[in-house]
Amino acid sequence: MTALANLYLITLTDLSLLLLLLQIPATAILLSRLFKGPTRQRPIQPQQPTPEIFGSVSVVVPTLNEALRISPLLQGLSQQSYEMREAIVVDSRSQDGTADLVKAAQQRDPRFRVFTDDPLPAGWVGRPWALHNGFLQISPGSEWFLGMDADTVPHPGLIAGLVQTAEKEGYDLVSLSPQFILKYPGECWLQPALLMTLLYRFDPAGVNTEQPERVMANGQCFLCRRSVLSAVNGYTSASSSFCDDVTLARYIAAQGFKVGFLDGAKVLKVRMYEGAIETWKEWGRSLDLKDASPRAQIWGDLWLLSAVQGLPLLILLSYGLLVPQPAELPILLLLGLNIFLLAIRFAMLLAIAPSYDRKTAKGGWLFWLSPLADPLAVLRIFLSAFRQPKEWRGRKYSNGA
């Protein structure tokens, strides 16, 4: 019995050493990113437009059966001042009256117009195709192209604040992270864990990233100089990408243009998906960013996520049941490291709390238990990292695009 106990302890100690070798370098990388947080640029604020930016922005919104979600966006865009020259809704033959809602908005605000894009060609995903068509339709007098999604809720002063920041900081492309609207218990628990997979892999919003392959972007609010988008032939470089925003932003950054990703929680809200199941299915399969990343980077990110987000809770739960007393030093070091990582995770939860609107959410308190969903969130990234979507936003694709 003693021999078996000794063998068990040796095995557990060896496993602890292996886990430490896996987790310590990943923890160092994570800390190097989080330490940049205090130096990040402040969140975008709503602004009043100046005469210099009047008529400088064309908004393009891709839609496919968005009648139930698009009204807050249309209302929010109508509240923007005349820095917004026009708002073009590119509708991909919606069957639910989306185009009729835009036409009704046009009666109140002549800056709106809607047109139907051409049939989807081979090699293109629906969203970048619609945005590319919209880009080709914008006024030659506009200096800026602003892509926005139908599920966003822009605050008054969003566009003015965004353009003024871009001009001041010299950005050629800048996108915003929004404030997420949560409504149901399951998404209050799961969605923050999925978001954390992005925060652990990339620099915080507001930190200028020097490496193009580490650039982040969000197509829900995606501002780009018209001249720059013309120089890269619109969305052509992201034609087959299911994360076209990141793919295009990294391509533009690689051409030497300045790309920024900023905190927009004070000027932009979004209601992405209804409930935990839809959040898991739809958002989870685009978070891997495989279309914008080389294979080595994907594997590196999966290692990092496993080490610092997926494993800490599992290690603490399992070792609490399995570790004999007194424990060997490697075991104690492993437990201490994972307690530290879990503490970081809860600190990050406090940091991202302003990025969530939970005022009307049922079970909003589950947000504070989202670290318990971390192993599931990391599993979701693994499941989608090497599998191309066959369906996206109501469209079916063969062999990916």
Side-chain angles (χ1 to χ4, degrees), residues 110-353:
R111 293 178 295 176
F112 286 105
R113 59 189 175 102
V114 60
F115 80 94
T116 302
D117 56 358
D118 294 330
L120 190 66
W124 280 82
V125 172
R127 187 177 184 281
W129 174 245
L131 288 164
H132 184 75
N133 277 271
F135 167 67
L136 297 178
Q137 294 290 324
I138 68 174
S139 169
S142 293
E143 184 180 350
W144 294 95
F145 164 95
L146 175 58
M148 297 198 70
D149 281 358
D151 54 11
T152 56
V153 185
H155 296 191
L158 159 69
I159 297 179
L162 185 56
V163 171
Q164 288 175 20
T165 299
E167 296 279 13
K168 178 182 177 182
E169 300 297 330
Y171 288 120
D172 298 297
L173 188 162
V174 61
S175 60
L176 300 182
S177 64
Q179 184 180 58
F180 298 96
I181 301 170
L182 300 179
K183 290 186 177 181
Y184 302 114
E187 66 190 75
C188 289
W189 181 66
L190 177 63
Q191 209 268 12
L194 288 169
L195 177 65
M196 199 61 64
T197 66
L198 288 176
L199 299 180
Y200 275 16
R201 283 178 285 168
F202 303 100
D203 290 332
V207 173
N208 288 328
T209 303
E210 300 297 331
Q211 301 169 291
E213 66 274 13
R214 306 307 302 183
V215 161
M216 266 303 297
N218 179 22
Q220 293 166 329
C221 187
F222 189 92
L223 181 76
C224 186
R225 293 186 189 274
R226 181 174 174 273
S227 59
V228 171
L229 208 49
S230 294
V232 299
N233 196 16
Y235 274 75
T236 304
S237 62
S239 61
S240 61
S241 176
F242 287 91
C243 55
D244 56 271
D245 45 8
V246 180
T247 301
L248 181 58
R250 290 180 178 178
Y251 181 77
I252 288 175
Q255 309 309 305
F257 297 105
K258 186 175 181 180
V259 176
F261 180 57
L262 305 179
D263 185 346
K266 295 183 180 297
V267 292
L268 181 70
K269 291 186 178 184
V270 62
R271 175 69 183 151
M272 290 178 63
Y273 302 115
E274 297 295 324
I277 294 177
E278 191 175 350
T279 299
W280 171 274
K281 178 183 177 182
E282 298 290 347
W283 201 35
R285 63 185 171 186
S286 64
L287 287 175
D288 55 76
L289 306 182
K290 59 180 173 291
D291 294 341
S293 310
R295 185 60 60 94
Q297 183 177 330
I298 295 172
W299 278 111
D301 286 345
L302 291 175
W303 157 68
L304 180 79
L305 286 179
S306 299
V308 299
Q309 187 179 0
L311 286 176
L313 182 64
L314 298 178
I315 288 174
L316 291 175
L317 290 176
S318 59
Y319 269 62
L321 297 173
L322 299 176
V323 173
Q325 298 297 329
E328 297 290 326
L329 180 60
I331 297 175
L332 293 175
L333 289 174
L334 181 67
L335 292 175
L337 176 61
N338 284 279
I339 290 171
F340 175 64
L341 286 170
L342 201 58
I344 288 177
R345 176 63 173 85
F346 277 99
M348 289 292 292
L349 193 60
L350 286 171
I352 67 170

Side-chain angles (χ1 to χ4, degrees), residues 378-393:
V378 175
L379 173 64
R380 186 64 186 93
I381 304 302
F382 266 90
L383 291 176
S384 61
F386 302 103
R387 183 186 305 167
Q388 200 73 356
K390 301 297 183 184
E391 183 178 349
W392 189 262
R393 288 294 195 182

